[in-house]
Amino acid sequence: MTRKKAHIISHSHWDREWFLPLESLRFRLVTLMDEVETLLDKEAGFNHFHMDGQMIMLEDYLAVKPAKREKMKQLVADGKLRIGPWYMLQDAFLTSGEANIRNLQYGLEMAEEFGQAEKIGYFPDTFGLYGQVPQLMRQAGFDTVVFGRGVNPTGFNNQVFDSAFASKYSEMFWESPDGSKVLGILLANWYSNGNEIPTDKEAAKIFWDKKLADVERFASTDEWLFMNGCDHQPVQTDLAEALEVARELYPEVDFIHSHFEKYQDAVKAGLEPEKLQTVHGELTSQQSDGWSTLANTASSRIYLKQANAKIERLLERLAEPISVMATEAGVSYPHEYLAFAWKLLMENQIHDSITGCSLDEVHREMEARFEKVEQTTMAIIQNAARKITEQIATNDAGIPITVFHAGGLEATRTVELELETDAIHFSEMHFEQIPDELAKLPEQSFRMETSTGEEIPVVVEPLGIHFNYDLPERKFRDSYFARKYKLTFTVEHLPAVGYQTIYAHPVAVSDDKKELTKDLQLENQYLKVEIAPNGTYSILDKEKVVEVAGLGAYEDVGDIGNEYMFKETGDNVRINTYNSKPVIRVLREDKLGKTIEMKHEIEIPVSASATFAEEKRRLVWHPDRTSHRSDNRTTFKITTELTLDKHDKQLTVRVKLDNQVDDHRLRVLLPTGKQTETHQAGSVFEVVTRTNKQVEEWTNPANDNRKQGFVTSGNIVVASLDLPEYEVSEQGDRLELTLIRAVSEIGDWGDFPAYEAECHREITAEFHVFLTDESNVNIPAQVNALLTPTFAIQHPSSSKEKMLAETKDFAKWKVADGLVFSAFKLAKDNQPILRFYQTASEPKLLNTVNLWRKSTILEETAGDAKNQFTVKSNEIITLKGV
């Protein structure tokens, strides 16, 4: 008979910050690593330690003990310290596709600097997994993935139910939508199933009788996995002795102090593939009761999601592409600085951080990090843009302005810029005299034109006289006063990836201001929007001849859940705006378009009732809570701005809230125009189709989901960069988008107050609505471009040689329908990298002007150089220049 092998892997799952802040946990980390070093050096039988798959754990240790770097390298080289492949353990759905790739790239680079990475996809505690994981892992050279959530139905403390298994075994095949397949290993008994192994024989017998049976219940081979550790678990210093006791008690079992590569090789050798099931696509605990999916981390502390999404886009769509463009101006690509920015952002993308399910101290520190990484990213963008504009050959007819764009499609965009004129430097006049001198100048406005003389519509707002300064490269700062103006203008035909230079011409101020109309509708050549007295609105798409009415009501419900999961109050008191009478007025109407403002006031409970505090204190699990909403009410104000500019094919909705109310959730309600059984949502490198009706085992009344970029159901598409949570009704005829969710505790395994999760702050949420006739193949690419920021810069005065064109499109490629632009950057060897993903159901052609070689996500090339590539359905394709 084949002997059973028990692979014991020593580890500590290191939530960098969670129920304690970073520095409190770092103190424990240093102690842990010092003990691990001693054991690996001196303890016979203690052979390996797994560093939780994340390099930031080692980085945090070395920040305190930098002298240990060479010792850590030695332990890695000897195969004792098992590191990588990730930089950190991210949340999969709340981080972009490019962020997931950078996480792997930087993690592997750092691991290789220390000697070697553990080549296994490791997702021990990720809150669900996107469907393209197998494809990304295959492109990275991995064929095995270990994960803790998403397949077998799991509940509190990860207990496994007996029904509705997506896989009979803890081993399975997992297949991406493109057909990429990996071996998936579920931590069915969690990543602590071999924790604190007894050395006392009697206790060890009890321990192992249960643990061996638990693993055998799910294992398809005789290779059994036991994870010796848990969250922030100190290393078991007497493990070697504990394993000797186990060997004595169970001579028929080989107890091996192991590591993941050894374990995966043994499992693969013992597999009977025909026994295993194949799971497909995203893993979000679909086959469960729905109470422990952790999906509502998508709406906890929504302000964190907003900051993260903004900075991801700045890095992906401005900092990296503009830095590539700047190489034509002789500027070195800032590899190290971009890595610094990405890693700083990734500190906030760890699964217990970006999900908003930690202590208040943790999330306050995150906000400071977001500020730092935004400053870093903007410095990269501004430097590259300035270097480019210094060398653009311009005419002398006006003030040159260059607008950068990298959305992957040619675009028309409304752009804002603060323009300076008439600067007087302190070197020219005593600074006290300058403001009075500038005040003598006549008022002025501006006319704007393209480089070919076509007029650009612009709205000018004088901002007065302001102090500013230049920071020359070779001189001390140069201070000045100047007149400042806010210019809002529309630029057409922005390159798909590139820049366009336009001109502002000073002109006399004209008295052409028009009175605001009282016409409470919005209309351009594409759309007509009519507003009802209760503040709901209808949209008519003139081209598609599709109309949807009743959009935009708000609904407020009580929430007695936690940072992980929503739970509605027991009284089911819901308050909506269908019968309200908001104050509606035209806020803005000019040559660019029109904005209508609506102000709702609704009376809602100030919090949950007093019994809720007792439920939290007693650790009542959120599905079993019954507290009502408070009888005390307050006025809750919602300000909505509907904007339709002349070039828009979508209605832009901006909602402003000043939330001072506890224990509630606010959503905007959007009828879809028709009934459906399924809907589609953007996800990581894919568009996923989800069913509206859940499985029989699902008992949670809510069916909340996560999106990236957009969700479409029926005749509507809702696009937003930073509102990731939504729900579609079972009939598919209503979509609900979460704007804010206010709760007061972490939840999970103890009483951890988190009062700042009530989000007592001003929140501005923005989303776009457009209509579809179900010709959806181009929606992902269109939304991707729509949500791409632009960057405009006034040219600095420069004596450098003018050698660059006024307008340049770097997108020397032509994509078919369904291909979505994802990245334009430089590889470590300074060759350009271009990435798309395919959302159409059939192969498409990607044609390029220049020669490229097909690459992996790790930017390793294979194959011949060519300029035409067939991209199969759901493929992520990376090209590398030659």
Side-chain angles (χ1 to χ4, degrees):
M1 188 175 77
T2 305
R3 288 177 64 82
K4 311 295 185 183
K5 295 188 181 70
H7 293 259
I8 291 84
I9 295 181
S10 293
H11 79 111
S12 186
H13 176 56
W14 206 260
D15 298 304
R16 188 173 189 251
E17 49 190 13
W18 179 29
F19 65 91
L20 286 172
L22 168 62
E23 297 308 329
S24 298
L25 289 172
R26 193 200 304 259
F27 190 87
R28 295 176 62 88
L29 172 65
V30 171
T31 301
L32 167 72
M33 292 306 300
D34 286 345
E35 290 183 344
V36 166
E37 177 193 343
T38 299
L39 287 170
L40 291 175
D41 268 350
K42 299 178 180 178
E43 182 71 18
F46 192 96
N47 305 313
H48 311 285
F49 188 81
H50 178 65
M51 291 287 286
D52 202 32
Q54 52 177 334
M55 294 305 303
I56 199 170
M57 189 175 173
L58 187 55
E59 196 171 67
D60 284 347
Y61 171 65
L62 293 175
V64 176
K65 294 198 171 185
K68 292 288 187 179
R69 177 173 291 270
E70 293 307 313
K71 180 61 181 179
M72 295 299 108
K73 284 185 176 181
Q74 177 197 322
L75 292 174
V76 172
D78 292 344
K80 295 181 177 181
L81 198 62
R82 314 297 297 187
I83 62 172
W86 301 104
Y87 179 68
M88 52 82 198
L89 293 179
Q90 78 278 34
D91 182 85
F93 285 101
L94 297 175
T95 52
S96 71
E98 291 300 323
N100 275 265
I101 287 179
R102 299 302 181 283
N103 186 13
L104 189 59
Q105 286 178 322
Y106 292 131
L108 287 172
E109 284 178 15
M110 187 177 173
E112 287 161 7
E113 289 173 5
F114 278 82
Q116 58 185 331
E118 186 131 52
K119 297 296 180 69
I120 191 164
Y122 192 62
F123 302 86
D125 195 21
T126 315
F127 300 171
L129 290 165
Y130 50 86
Q132 291 284 34
V133 165
Q135 183 177 177
L136 291 177
M137 294 298 99
R138 277 292 187 179
Q139 288 201 29
F142 303 173
D143 61 9
T144 305
V145 173
V146 174
F147 56 96
R149 300 182 188 273
V151 175
N152 292 64
T154 55
F156 189 63
N157 284 339
N158 215 54
Q159 85 262 20
V160 180
F161 300 128
D162 290 322
S163 62
F165 288 97
S167 171
K168 180 179 179 181
Y169 299 109
S170 53
E171 299 81 35
M172 67 204 75
F173 294 115
W174 182 13
E175 189 173 299
S176 278
D178 75 310
S180 298
K181 187 180 287 189
V182 295
L183 172 64
I185 297 174
L186 174 72
L187 301 171
N189 298 288
W190 208 221
Y191 52 69
S192 57
N193 69 320
N195 194 26
E196 299 179 355
I197 302 172
T199 56
D200 175 78
K201 285 187 179 181
E202 185 175 340
K205 185 70 168 62
I206 297 171
F207 177 92
W208 283 114
D209 279 352
K210 181 179 190 314
K211 296 295 184 178
L212 291 168
D214 286 346
V215 171
E216 186 174 23
R217 178 184 174 195
F218 296 111
S220 66
T221 75
D222 293 324
E223 310 292 336
W224 296 350
L225 177 63
F226 296 90
M227 300 294 288
N228 177 234
C230 195
D231 300 345
H232 313 105
Q233 180 80 18
V235 63
Q236 183 169 349
T237 56
D238 60 357
L239 179 65
E241 180 186 353
L243 294 186
E244 284 301 324
V245 171
R247 293 178 185 117
E248 182 181 341
L249 289 172
Y250 302 88
E252 73 280 10
V253 179
D254 288 337
F255 289 87
I256 306 166
H257 196 218
S258 191
H259 57 77
F260 271 115
E261 287 190 7
K262 180 186 290 187
Y263 167 70
Q264 74 167 346
D265 290 345
V267 169
K268 285 188 285 189
L271 273 181
E272 298 177 52
E274 65 277 3
K275 291 173 57 176
L276 302 189
Q277 293 170 263
T278 299
V279 296
H280 298 270
E282 64 179 7
L283 307 181
T284 56
S285 301
Q286 298 99 327
Q287 299 291 124
S288 74
D289 66 2
W291 281 112
S292 296
T293 64
L294 314 186
N296 299 111
T297 55
S299 55
S300 293
R301 303 181 190 256
I302 197 71
Y303 58 92
L304 299 176
K305 282 66 170 175
Q306 293 180 313
N308 179 68
K310 176 184 178 181
I311 296 167
E312 279 182 338
R313 281 284 163 160
L314 289 176
L315 280 165
E316 297 167 14
R317 297 307 165 83
L318 289 177
E320 289 179 338
I322 297 178
S323 293
V324 177
M325 300 174 202
T327 60
E328 297 209 353
V331 181
S332 297
Y333 190 81
H335 291 285
E336 295 86 358
Y337 225 112
L338 283 165
F340 173 78
W342 270 113
K343 289 178 181 179
L344 188 55
L345 177 61
M346 287 178 197
E347 291 187 46
N348 280 354
Q349 294 185 331
I350 297 172
H351 58 284
D352 287 311
S353 299
I354 188 58
T355 49
C357 58
S358 298
L359 287 180
D360 292 336
E361 296 95 318
V362 167
H363 298 303
R364 285 199 294 270
E365 186 169 358
M366 284 180 65
E367 290 191 85
R369 280 194 211 117
F370 278 133
E371 289 184 7
K372 288 178 63 176
V373 71
E374 184 173 356
Q375 293 165 9
T376 302
T377 305
M378 289 307 303
I380 295 170
I381 294 167
Q382 290 163 351
N383 178 68
R386 182 174 57 83
K387 296 289 188 181
I388 292 169
T389 54
E390 284 177 344
Q391 298 186 39
I392 291 177
T394 59
N395 63 53
D396 298 325
I399 302 169
I401 298 165
T402 294
V403 182
F404 293 87
H405 173 257
L409 299 175
E410 184 180 276
T412 298
R413 291 288 178 266
T414 297
V415 179
E416 290 185 357
L417 171 74
E418 290 189 354
L419 184 79
E420 291 182 337
T421 67
D422 307 304
I424 300 178
H425 295 258
F426 287 12
S427 59
E428 302 173 78
M429 184 181 297
H430 192 280
F431 67 87
E432 291 180 346
Q433 298 174 348
I434 297 174
D436 292 337
E437 191 68 20
L438 289 173
K440 297 175 185 177
L441 297 176
E443 294 183 17
Q444 67 179 6
S445 187
F446 296 90
R447 185 186 80 256
M448 299 193 71
E449 293 180 349
T450 67
S451 58
T452 58
E454 299 173 30
E455 187 167 354
I456 296 172
V458 60
V459 174
V460 180
E461 178 186 352
L463 299 178
I465 298 167
H466 289 264
F467 166 81
N468 206 346
Y469 57 89
D470 291 324
L471 293 175
E473 291 182 0
R474 296 290 179 266
K475 295 180 180 180
F476 187 63
R477 65 176 179 264
D478 188 2
S479 301
Y480 62 87
F481 281 101
R483 295 203 286 180
K484 186 181 288 188
Y485 303 85
K486 178 183 175 183
L487 306 186
T488 307
F489 50 92
T490 300
V491 185
E492 297 181 345
H493 308 299
L494 277 171
V497 179
Y499 63 81
Q500 181 182 154
T501 300
I502 59 177
Y503 296 88
H505 301 271
V507 295
V509 174
S510 61
D511 189 18
D512 61 352
K513 291 185 180 179
K514 295 190 296 185
E515 291 289 328
L516 294 179
T517 69
K518 295 183 180 180
D519 180 15
L520 298 181
Q521 68 176 21
L522 305 166
E523 187 169 10
N524 63 16
Q525 61 180 315
Y526 306 112
L527 300 180
K528 182 177 182 179
V529 180
E530 295 185 311
I531 301 172
N534 67 356
T536 60
Y537 41 92
S538 65
I539 303 177
L540 168 66
D541 188 308
K542 299 178 182 179
E543 292 182 315
K544 297 183 177 70
V545 196
V546 177
E547 184 173 15
V548 176
L551 298 158
Y554 297 99
E555 183 175 75
D556 191 83
V557 305
D559 188 346
I560 50 174
N562 52 48
E563 290 182 322
Y564 293 101
M565 292 296 293
F566 165 79
K567 171 61 167 71
E568 188 170 356
T569 48
D571 52 8
N572 300 118
V573 171
R574 298 189 171 201
I575 299 162
N576 61 54
T577 60
Y578 283 117
N579 296 319
S580 65
K581 292 189 179 295
V583 176
I584 307 174
R585 67 177 180 124
V586 177
L587 183 65
R588 159 196 155 244
E589 187 172 15
D590 52 44
K591 61 183 72 175
L592 301 182
K594 186 175 178 179
T595 299
I596 292 177
E597 178 190 77
M598 300 182 290
K599 291 191 173 183
H600 287 87
E601 292 188 359
I602 55 176
E603 299 298 311
I604 65 173
V606 297
S607 65
S609 63
T611 60
F612 182 38
E614 179 64 10
E615 286 185 313
K616 288 185 290 184
R617 189 188 68 79
R618 292 176 48 238
L619 306 184
V620 175
W621 193 32
H622 60 276
D624 300 327
R625 294 174 177 177
T626 59
S627 291
H628 291 195
R629 304 189 77 174
S630 170
D631 293 330
N632 297 324
R633 296 202 172 198
T634 189
T635 301
F636 189 76
K637 298 178 180 180
I638 306 169
T639 300
T640 308
E641 295 175 3
L642 304 180
T643 296
L644 185 68
D645 284 344
K646 292 187 177 179
H647 63 274
D648 287 345
K649 294 186 178 182
Q650 72 286 333
L651 176 68
T652 297
V653 185
R654 182 177 288 111
V655 185
K656 298 178 180 179
L657 313 167
D658 184 3
N659 181 58
Q660 302 300 324
V661 177
D662 292 346
D663 313 322
H664 73 124
R665 182 187 69 188
L666 182 73
R667 282 180 158 178
V668 59
L669 311 180
L670 302 161
T672 68
K674 63 188 303 184
Q675 294 191 353
T676 60
E677 293 183 355
T678 62
H679 67 275
Q680 292 184 310
S683 190
V684 177
F685 293 123
E686 69 172 323
V687 176
V688 62
T689 298
R690 294 172 176 149
T691 57
N692 299 336
K693 188 174 182 179
Q694 278 295 354
V695 295
E696 182 179 350
E697 293 79 17
W698 195 276
T699 60
N700 187 345
N703 182 19
D704 301 325
N705 273 300
R706 291 161 284 194
K707 67 171 179 63
Q708 287 199 359
F710 76 96
V711 56
T712 179
S713 183
N715 292 124
I716 72 166
V717 180
V718 179
S720 64
L721 192 59
D722 50 16
L723 297 173
E725 183 183 285
Y726 74 92
E727 184 174 8
V728 173
S729 64
E730 281 195 3
Q731 296 75 28
D733 56 354
R734 189 166 86 168
L735 190 156
E736 302 180 7
L737 186 67
T738 304
L739 302 178
I740 188 172
R741 193 166 75 88
V743 294
S744 59
E745 65 167 355
I746 294 178
D748 201 8
W749 57 275
D751 182 12
F752 296 104
Y755 299 116
E756 291 171 23
E758 296 284 12
C759 297
H760 291 174
R761 58 173 66 207
E762 293 181 358
I763 298 284
T764 298
E766 182 175 284
F767 59 94
H768 310 274
V769 183
F770 56 98
L771 304 187
T772 175
D773 55 6
E774 297 188 349
S775 301
N776 290 349
V777 67
N778 286 321
I779 286 175
Q782 291 168 354
V783 170
N784 183 55
L786 174 66
L787 299 179
T788 292
T790 57
F791 179 74
I793 182 173
Q794 178 181 352
H795 285 215
S797 57
S798 172
S799 59
K800 293 189 177 182
E801 181 183 356
K802 308 295 185 180
M803 49 184 277
L804 300 179
E806 288 177 299
T807 297
K808 182 161 185 177
D809 192 349
F810 289 76
K812 304 299 183 183
W813 54 80
K814 183 178 181 181
V815 297
D817 292 347
L819 282 169
V820 183
F821 171 76
S822 186
F824 183 52
K825 60 185 288 287
L826 291 192
K828 289 174 66 177
D829 60 4
N830 288 319
Q831 291 300 316
I833 291 292
L834 176 64
R835 186 158 35 250
F836 293 89
Y837 60 98
Q838 227 275 60
T839 62
S841 58
E842 65 280 337
K844 296 289 185 178
L845 287 180
L846 170 58
N847 294 291
T848 65
V849 174
N850 301 324
L851 292 176
W852 300 76
R853 283 193 176 92
K854 196 169 182 180
S855 174
T856 67
I857 60 169
L858 299 183
E859 301 169 4
E860 300 159 339
T861 56
D864 298 329
K866 53 185 181 179
N867 56 16
Q868 186 178 83
F869 300 85
T870 299
V871 189
K872 65 181 181 180
S873 180
N874 296 298
E875 181 180 359
I876 304 163
I877 183 169
T878 304
L879 304 181
K880 190 173 184 179
V882 297

